[in-house]
Amino acid sequence: MAKVIEGLYYSESHEYVKVEGNVGFIGITDYAQNALGNVVYVDMPDIDDEVTAGEEFGAVESVKAASDLISPVSGTVVEVNEALDDQPELVNQDAFANWIIKVEMSDKSELDNLMDAKAYTAFCEK
């Protein structure tokens, strides 16, 4: 069973959001990194780019497949995880510690459209 952390928000496309104030740390879930296999490249937006809930903001490439990253919330990119440029495999080592982007959220009510840990666990078991 993939690791799921309480207190985070989860999307059906297997991204998570960790909320601190008005900033969302967005990454892929443990379930997603496990399904992808060895991650070899993470395509990230630039700082100050706008992301929109439900729309693509980058991609994760593994030895098996490439997968679009779908933003769970809307807002402005305030930071990207530059460590992933040189070490994309960090996502495999700990998907939750190695977020991909930080977003200043423009509408926190969008979090209501996401799943909590319990709902996401049930979703993954289907």
Side-chain angles (χ1 to χ4, degrees):
M1 178 62 204
K3 179 172 148 186
V4 177
I5 296 180
E6 289 288 338
L8 303 183
Y9 298 88
Y10 297 89
S11 68
E12 289 189 1
S13 54
H14 304 288
E15 287 83 17
Y16 68 82
V17 184
K18 176 185 173 189
V19 177
E20 287 184 4
N22 207 39
V23 174
F25 294 71
I26 300 173
I28 64 170
T29 65
D30 191 50
Y31 180 93
Q33 72 80 18
N34 200 38
L36 279 167
N38 294 334
V39 173
V40 295
Y41 179 70
V42 181
D43 179 35
M44 297 176 277
D46 294 321
I47 292 173
D48 294 329
D49 280 3
E50 297 291 324
V51 295
T52 303
E55 294 189 9
E56 180 187 334
F57 71 84
V60 175
E61 294 177 22
S62 72
V63 291
K64 289 197 281 189
S67 181
D68 289 340
L69 294 166
I70 308 299
S71 188
V73 294
S74 301
T76 305
V77 177
V78 292
E79 191 175 339
V80 297
N81 189 345
E82 293 178 0
L84 300 178
D85 285 337
D86 296 326
Q87 295 180 285
E89 67 276 5
L90 290 171
V91 172
N92 293 120
Q93 292 169 19
D94 189 337
F96 293 111
N98 294 289
W99 49 272
I100 296 171
I101 60 172
K102 283 188 198 176
V103 172
E104 180 80 34
M105 293 181 288
S106 56
D107 183 0
K108 283 182 84 169
S109 71
E110 291 174 339
L111 295 168
D112 298 339
N113 301 327
L114 302 172
M115 294 175 275
D116 63 12
K118 184 177 177 186
Y120 182 70
T121 299
F123 176 78
C124 290
E125 287 171 353
K126 285 181 189 167

